[in-house]
Amino acid sequence: MKNFLLSATLVAMAHLYSDAQWIYDPENPQLVSDAINVQNNVRQVADGNGGTFVYWMDGRMDYYNPDIYGQHYDANGTEQWESGGRSIFNNYGTVKSFDVFRSNSDGEMIMGVHTGTTSIAPDSLRFQKLNDEGEKLWSEDLLVAKSDGCTGNYFLGLENFQFFRNENGDYTVNLVPTYCGGSDGCRLTHFTSEGILTGTQDGEPEGNQYYIGSRGIDKTYDGSNDTYLYYTGGNGAGAHAFVMRVTEAGDSAFAPVDVLDGTNGINYQYAAMSDEDGIAVCFQSSGENGNVDLFMRKLNGNGTWAWGGDIMDVCVADGNQGSFHWVQDDTYYYIVWADGRPGVVGNAAIYAQKIEKATGEMQWQQDGIEVFDQNTYIPYPKCILNESGQLVVTNESNGENGFNAQVLNQDGTLEWPNTPSLATLSFSPFYADYSILKSNENIIVAWSRTFSGGGADGIYVAKVKAPTTSITETISACDSYTINGETFTQSGVYSQELPGDTVLTLDLTITTIVAEATLNGTTLTATNTEGNFSFLDCDSNNLVSIEAGSYIPSETGNYALIVELNGCQDTSECFHIVITDVAEINLENQITLFPNPGNDGLNVQSTHSLKNAELKITDSNGRLVFSKNSLSGKNFVFELSDLPVGIYQVNISYPEHHYTMKWARIP
């Protein structure tokens, strides 16, 4: 018979162990692929169940003509496809770039692939629908554009492309060719989810077709299936930037608007982001002090100015600000950037700002909140909002943290007092070649590793989590203690590494008790040397005595020893004891003491009437502590609340009869 003491705190910790497959070791992060030759240009999309599809360009079959490979991880970080990745797109020569989209609502997954010029194929842009096994669902890849040289469409090649899914389920593509003569420009076209091209082959030219720099498209979110097109009039410092709205038919809903009018032009980064009310732009430009600062401006959906046409200062601190990344929710924009203001540790610290979408007003302190100040070379911070509305920020440093993460609360305070590392410097991303996404409650980062010989090689993945958590528990247990599949039988201090980068330290005390007793005549004696002792009537299962290691019963029966130590207890075998001394005990005339043990009062009950009996109570040292004379009758009650807690001998005698019993007073 054993009793066990368990820690309720540790039992409640079981919820921490649910994500056991993700690897949390910055010195050895979770490898996606390190096949021969080069793997880089990573992309990922959420799988709708807390996992991710990771895709990348892979030169394992041909160093100079990479293909596209992929891997699927479930919410626990377990590979769903073959180790090292699955071949996805490999039949058009070299892949120059690609992108992938997966709908959160219906799981439709579309991949666009820009293939480069080879001996067997010119530049082309093709699309394909994939299922969740990475298999192609269209019988033929959809060809959207192909270079013809200085005949036909006069495309020497394709520079890049973007695409998105419209609210009606169709897709809009922006492709940028290089024309004969060296100019370039944006061209829009459309296709359906069945792989049917509904727009113009090679796209309709929109906006400047002479020379552009940054470019992109975004949705209008008003059911019209119109497109916002944005671009810069060149890449150099001082170039201006434009936004126009194009209908599904290819007409201009509003002509290009110079969103940098009244500024010094870009220097050099420019990006746009739309919502239901219009489209906002964020850009680097030279400020009044000659530094490169960050600014924002916004247009309404009809091309008029929002925010009164004002240009908002995101950050105009001393030093240069750039390499920004931004996201939005229904109410705010969130921007993170590299900041070279005086006093930072490396080339740039990482700062963040929150902007109200309706007014353009900055919500955090002027010039932003510091997120990281670590030794860096050329940082490329990125951000995303988690399920709780907190801003998760990632960044690569040259210090001991390497590739790391931090979380900002809505009030701009840092959630984590320490900065957790996703990977040490030797496993950090190659500049901005990494992807961060939210998949249900998980924030997942995939990246291509910086190769020591130059460039990028190898794909890795990690789930962003809180910093290392240390938990220390002091536990007492009986005989053994099992936690997280590991059983301990000896006292000591033990350490366990748990999922979620939690370290549990156990200060464990194991108590092992075996109750053993010997029977000598009618005396039952404990052979244990430690612990508290008591004796049990095995027939009635009642405690009959609390003794200093021995017990003499008053009647025939079965009795056992109970030993208790450090909250653990054990019960010996039951011993059969026969009482035959009639001089001491008259079996026909029994006297009972109850309750036994008791506290305030003692009841004496006899099966026959006593006459002129005498009661004496002595303590364990033989001293008389209570007595009564001339007792007559069968039932007696004595008040003994003044007696100390302990074991007492009760003697009742009258002519020719003598009874000796034990009674224990308890608190």
Side-chain angles (χ1 to χ4, degrees):
M1 182 187 300
K2 305 285 184 183
N3 288 341
F4 297 92
L5 300 181
L6 301 181
S7 167
T9 302
L10 280 177
V11 173
M13 285 169 51
H15 72 280
L16 292 174
Y17 314 144
S18 60
D19 50 6
Q21 297 301 318
W22 291 107
I23 292 176
Y24 296 103
D25 182 3
E27 297 284 351
N28 184 29
Q30 191 156 337
L31 176 67
V32 180
S33 178
D34 63 351
I36 61 170
N37 298 329
V38 176
Q39 292 82 45
N40 57 14
N41 287 293
V42 67
R43 303 285 187 273
Q44 60 173 339
V45 288
D47 70 355
N49 294 302
T52 180
F53 294 96
V54 181
Y55 298 101
W56 64 94
M57 289 168 52
D58 195 305
R60 70 182 69 181
M61 302 304 295
D62 185 338
Y63 184 92
Y64 297 102
N65 299 298
D67 302 319
I68 297 174
Y69 277 70
Q71 181 61 265
H72 179 201
Y73 290 91
D74 67 12
N76 290 326
T78 305
E79 288 183 345
Q80 302 300 294
W81 297 346
E82 53 266 34
S83 180
R86 177 172 295 178
S87 177
I88 305 297
F89 207 100
N90 61 2
N91 54 339
Y92 294 104
T94 183
V95 173
K96 279 192 170 182
S97 67
F98 76 100
D99 207 352
V100 62
F101 164 85
R102 188 179 187 278
S103 170
N104 292 327
S105 59
D106 59 16
E108 181 170 280
M109 185 156 48
I110 301 291
M111 179 175 287
V113 182
H114 169 206
T115 60
T117 302
T118 69
S119 60
I120 61 172
D123 265 21
S124 66
L125 176 60
R126 303 171 191 267
F127 289 85
Q128 179 59 254
K129 181 188 286 191
L130 306 176
N131 64 18
D132 282 356
E133 295 303 316
E135 300 165 335
K136 295 181 178 182
L137 296 179
W138 296 337
S139 59
E140 298 286 341
D141 297 333
L142 175 62
L143 177 65
V144 170
K146 182 177 69 173
S147 63
D148 287 339
C150 292
T151 61
N153 59 21
Y154 292 92
F155 290 0
L156 284 177
L158 298 173
E159 295 180 11
N160 60 16
F161 72 99
Q162 307 87 35
F163 75 105
F164 64 76
R165 190 185 192 187
N166 290 297
E167 293 177 87
N168 67 354
D170 293 341
Y171 293 83
T172 295
V173 183
N174 176 38
L175 58 102
V176 181
T178 300
Y179 299 113
C180 290
S183 62
D184 59 7
C186 295
R187 302 174 73 98
L188 300 185
T189 191
H190 310 274
F191 65 87
T192 70
S193 62
E194 288 76 32
I196 300 172
L197 187 66
T198 56
T200 304
Q201 181 80 33
D202 300 327
E204 281 287 331
E206 302 290 348
N208 183 0
Q209 297 296 304
Y210 299 103
Y211 181 72
I212 61 173
S214 300
R215 73 295 301 261
I217 54 174
D218 214 338
K219 293 193 287 188
T220 53
Y221 294 100
D222 58 5
S224 66
N225 295 319
D226 288 357
T227 300
Y228 290 117
L229 173 65
Y230 56 92
Y231 57 89
T232 63
N235 270 331
H240 277 237
F242 303 89
V243 172
M244 63 183 297
R245 178 168 175 159
V246 182
T247 68
E248 192 172 13
D251 301 322
S252 295
F254 64 75
V257 176
D258 182 358
V259 290
L260 270 63
D261 183 37
T263 74
N264 294 321
I266 64 165
N267 191 1
Y268 284 82
Q269 191 179 0
Y270 165 74
M273 183 184 297
S274 67
D275 59 21
E276 291 81 355
D277 298 320
I279 183 166
V281 295
C282 184
F283 56 94
Q284 288 177 280
S285 185
S286 297
E288 294 181 359
N289 55 7
N291 295 320
V292 178
D293 299 321
L294 288 182
F295 304 93
M296 283 188 67
R297 210 170 191 181
K298 188 171 185 178
L299 289 173
N300 295 314
N302 60 5
T304 61
W305 291 114
W307 304 343
D310 290 340
I311 300 169
M312 300 299 182
D313 298 341
V314 177
C315 182
V316 293
D318 290 343
N320 296 327
Q321 289 82 41
S323 298
F324 67 82
H325 187 257
W326 61 337
V327 292
Q328 63 176 328
D329 59 20
D330 291 339
T331 309
Y332 301 102
Y333 302 107
Y334 304 83
I335 302 178
V336 296
W337 66 89
D339 196 304
R341 66 185 66 185
V344 299
V345 173
N347 288 346
I350 306 303
Y351 277 72
Q353 184 60 271
K354 172 181 171 182
I355 303 98
E356 186 176 39
K357 296 170 74 171
T359 64
E361 294 180 355
M362 306 297 130
Q363 301 299 298
W364 293 338
Q365 67 189 36
Q366 182 179 354
D367 295 327
I369 297 289
E370 181 184 288
V371 185
F372 303 108
D373 187 9
Q374 302 165 340
N375 189 20
T376 58
Y377 174 52
I378 305 177
Y380 286 90
K382 294 186 180 181
C383 62
I384 200 166
L385 292 165
N386 65 17
E387 288 283 283
S388 301
Q390 298 167 303
L391 188 68
V392 181
V393 184
T394 53
N395 178 60
E396 178 187 353
S397 75
N398 294 338
E400 61 182 13
N401 280 341
F403 188 34
N404 48 76
Q406 183 55 267
V407 170
L408 272 72
N409 297 309
Q410 281 291 324
D411 62 0
T413 58
L414 299 182
E415 172 71 9
W416 296 336
N418 300 313
T419 299
S421 176
L422 302 174
T424 57
L425 182 61
S426 59
F427 286 93
S428 289
F430 181 69
Y431 296 106
D433 192 358
Y434 72 92
S435 168
I436 178 171
L437 93 137
K438 179 171 72 70
S439 183
N440 295 23
E441 74 284 355
N442 289 336
I443 302 296
I444 303 172
V445 182
W447 71 94
S448 58
R449 175 186 179 182
T450 299
F451 185 55
S452 58
D457 186 25
I459 307 299
Y460 293 81
V461 68
K463 190 180 84 168
V464 177
K465 58 173 185 57
T468 300
T469 300
S470 297
I471 301 174
T472 301
E473 288 291 334
T474 300
I475 303 296
S476 295
C478 305
D479 296 321
S480 66
Y481 184 69
T482 300
I483 185 170
N484 306 318
E486 188 173 4
T487 299
F488 304 93
T489 59
Q490 301 291 328
S491 298
V493 177
Y494 302 94
S495 179
Q496 287 186 330
E497 293 186 3
L498 307 178
D501 209 12
T502 299
V503 177
L504 171 64
T505 300
L506 286 175
D507 187 354
L508 186 60
T509 300
I510 296 291
T511 300
T512 301
I513 301 174
V514 178
E516 294 182 340
T518 59
L519 181 62
N520 185 7
T522 60
T523 301
L524 190 61
T525 303
T527 59
N528 299 70
T529 59
E530 291 185 288
N532 298 317
F533 307 103
S534 58
F535 292 89
L536 178 73
D537 184 332
C538 300
D539 299 322
S540 65
N541 203 35
N542 291 327
L543 192 67
V544 293
S545 178
I546 301 176
E547 284 284 331
S550 64
Y551 173 62
I552 302 174
S554 60
E555 58 185 64
T556 297
N558 296 292
Y559 301 90
L561 168 70
I562 299 175
V563 180
E564 188 276 331
L565 179 64
N566 296 333
C568 303
Q569 69 177 36
D570 187 35
T571 303
S572 74
E573 63 176 308
C574 293
F575 293 82
H576 184 66
I577 302 176
V578 179
I579 304 301
T580 59
D581 189 355
V582 296
E584 290 293 322
I585 302 295
N586 188 334
L587 297 178
E588 297 179 358
N589 301 303
Q590 295 183 358
I591 294 178
T592 303
L593 306 181
F594 66 92
N596 191 8
N599 47 19
D600 294 337
L602 172 64
N603 293 271
V604 178
Q605 185 176 39
S606 175
T607 59
H608 65 285
S609 181
L610 303 180
K611 294 182 180 180
N612 296 319
E614 181 181 29
L615 179 141
K616 292 182 179 180
I617 300 177
T618 57
D619 62 16
S620 58
N621 294 318
R623 292 174 297 192
L624 180 67
V625 295
F626 183 84
S627 65
K628 284 289 184 181
N629 297 320
S630 302
L631 300 175
S632 297
K634 292 184 177 182
N635 298 290
F636 309 93
V637 179
F638 304 104
E639 173 62 34
L640 300 176
S641 60
D642 293 337
L643 292 183
V645 173
I647 307 298
Y648 296 87
Q649 182 170 286
V650 179
N651 298 285
I652 300 175
S653 61
Y654 61 100
E656 299 181 358
H657 295 281
H658 180 77
Y659 298 87
T660 300
M661 291 159 284
K662 297 291 185 181
W663 178 72
R665 184 175 186 276
I666 60 176

